[in-house]
């Protein structure tokens, strides 16, 4: 067996990998793990989106990996630099859960679904087809993306393992 | 830069004391429930990068039982009571003399007992805090989840996400007898709440 190379993607972080390396991000709750893939060049990218839009940022200098609207264009550029062709990109994503369900009118309680929506809007904007998603519900997910096969592996405590 | 980086040592001490009082009352409540002495560590107050928050409870993927409630009122924030599974089973045995059913999964009864324990502890933490600060603090109905610590805690960090990559949290560990019970209290006040807490306690704002 080949030793698999795992590239970690932290919270509010993004990274790229290629030729069989695995992109991995752990403990997605309301955050979304979004992957882009160019099958021809085997270049993959993953972002761990924490918030839907940088419009709400109050940071002096924003962390572009944190927001759906800034991280996805940045990831596309990084992959382009690595030799991938954006016209061939396909996307998958997981996460965006509502970890706790209870009545509160606080906006941040619905952050999971808003993250998912915002990611979809960005994909539409860049005309990248969303091949598969495992989003919503009320449980956490750890995801691994295989840059050889384009398979997204999703692990959760309650639901076990699945591949999309 | 995150404005919380500017909190000086004195203010951190004040927050530590706030945690101490709240958690002290919660420890007393727990001790009464179990009819056993329960100790706690001196709370730590720290500004922690998001990536490191879950390390406090064994890492992002560590499975924990979490009772979460949103604090509303004068100084809003998020509150978590987290326990590891082994500690949860110990609690259930100690509290209800329940022989816990299986190693994987909880019965309805066990689940609601755990939610109630979290509810009592969080409630006593919060009410002593409200007394001490004279702030109006009202908890929402607690919600319970069994899941990865990272997924659970990140939910409480969203307010911080808008202003930086780290959060200020007050963390207390409980100990039952000699064994670490591995119960954690996290109080994560919203960034806007700090000034209110300080001014309620008579700490001058420069």
């Amino acid at each position: 067996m080949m030793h698999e190379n795992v590239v970690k993607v932290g919270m509010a972080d993004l990274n790229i990998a290629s030729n069989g390396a695995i992109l991995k991000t752990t403990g997605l709750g309301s955050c979304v793990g979004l992957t882009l893939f160019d099958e021809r060049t085997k270049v993959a990218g993953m972002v761990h989106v924490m918030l839907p839009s940088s419009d709400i940022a109050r940071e002096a200098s924003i962390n572009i990996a944190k927001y759906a609207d800034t991280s996805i264009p940045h990831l596309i550029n990084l992959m382009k630099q690595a030799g991938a062709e954006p016209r061939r990109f396909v996307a998958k994503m997981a996460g965006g859960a509502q970890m706790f369900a209870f009545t509160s009118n606080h906006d941040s309680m619905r952050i999971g679904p808003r993250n998912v929506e915002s990611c979809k809007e960005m994909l539409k904007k860049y005309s990248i087809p969303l091949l598969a998603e495992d989003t919503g519900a009320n449980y956490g997910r750890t995801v691994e993306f295989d840059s050889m096969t384009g398979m997204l592996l999703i692990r959760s405590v309650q639901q076990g393992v699945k591949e999309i | 830069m995150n404005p919380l980086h500017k909190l000086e040592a004195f203010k951190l001490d004040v927050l530590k004391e706030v945690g101490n009082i709240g958690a002290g009352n919660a420890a007393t409540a727990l001790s009464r429930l179990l009819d056993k002495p329960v100790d706690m560590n001196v709370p730590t107050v720290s500004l922690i990068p998001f990536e490191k928050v879950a390390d406090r409870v064994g890492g992002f993927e560590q499975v924990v039982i979490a009772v979460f409630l949103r604090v509303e009122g004068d100084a809003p924030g998020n509150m978590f009571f987290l326990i590891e599974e082994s500690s949860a089973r110990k609690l259930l045995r100690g509290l209800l003399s329940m022989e816990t059913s299986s190693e994987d999964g909880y019965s309805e009864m066990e689940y609601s007992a755990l939610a109630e324990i979290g509810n009592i502890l969080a409630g006593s933490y919060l009410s002593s805090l409200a007394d001490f600060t004279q702030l109006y603090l009202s908890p929402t109905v607690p919600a319970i989840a069994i899941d990865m610590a990272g997924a659970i805690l990140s939910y409480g960090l969203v307010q911080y996400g808008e202003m930086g990559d780290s959060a200020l949290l007050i963390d207390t560990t409980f100990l039952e007898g000699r064994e670490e019970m591995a119960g954690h209290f996290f109080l994560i006040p919203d960034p806007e709440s700090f000034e209110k807490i300080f001014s309620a306690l008579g700490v001058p704002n420069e």
Side-chain angles (χ1 to χ4, degrees), chain A residues 51-53 56 68 96 107-119:
Chain A
L51 290 164
S53 164
I56 53 173
D107 220 26
S108 66
M109 298 297 136
R110 290 182 293 106
I111 202 75
R114 285 168 57 212
N115 280 336
V116 172
E117 266 165 47
S118 183
C119 285

Side-chain angles (χ1 to χ4, degrees), chain A residues 7 9 37 51 55 77-78 80 83 88 103 106-107 111 120 136 146 157:
Chain A
V7 178
V9 178
F37 186 49
L51 290 164
D55 291 347
N77 272 333
L78 279 183
K80 235 192 313 196
R88 291 194 297 258
T103 49
H106 202 275
D107 220 26
I111 202 75
K120 284 184 179 168
D146 186 328
V157 175

Side-chain angles (χ1 to χ4, degrees), chain A residues 7-160:
Chain A
V7 178
K8 198 179 176 254
V9 178
M11 193 171 174
D13 185 18
L14 55 80
N15 229 323
I16 60 170
S18 56
N19 290 314
I22 307 281
L23 284 159
K24 178 176 183 179
T25 193
T26 54
L28 290 164
S30 52
C31 299
V32 171
L34 179 136
T35 62
L36 298 179
F37 186 49
D38 174 6
E39 178 154 29
R40 181 92 55 91
T41 55
K42 305 289 183 197
V43 173
M46 179 184 280
V47 54
H48 183 135
V49 170
M50 187 182 182
L51 290 164
S53 164
S54 60
D55 291 347
I56 53 173
R58 291 177 289 158
E59 298 172 272
S61 61
I62 73 160
N63 169 4
I64 53 173
K66 194 188 299 177
Y67 305 96
D69 64 330
T70 50
S71 60
I72 293 168
H74 185 62
L75 189 66
I76 291 171
N77 272 333
L78 279 183
M79 290 170 67
K80 235 192 313 196
Q81 283 163 26
E85 172 53 55
R87 277 182 300 117
R88 291 194 297 258
F89 284 0
V90 289
K92 291 183 178 180
M93 65 181 179
Q98 259 185 303
M99 294 302 294
F100 299 93
F102 61 93
T103 49
S104 167
N105 48 17
H106 202 275
D107 220 26
S108 66
M109 298 297 136
R110 290 182 293 106
I111 202 75
R114 285 168 57 212
N115 280 336
V116 172
E117 266 165 47
S118 183
C119 285
K120 284 184 179 168
E121 273 165 34
M122 290 310 290
L123 291 176
K124 198 174 278 174
K125 185 172 166 191
Y126 287 91
S127 309
I128 299 172
L130 178 63
L131 290 192
E133 64 176 305
D134 178 42
T135 57
N138 62 347
Y139 56 88
R141 298 162 170 95
T142 283
V143 299
E144 290 177 23
F145 189 76
D146 186 328
S147 66
M148 188 59 79
T149 62
M151 198 61 94
L152 185 66
L153 182 84
I154 300 154
R155 266 184 247 278
S156 64
V157 175
Q158 312 287 353
Q159 313 286 320

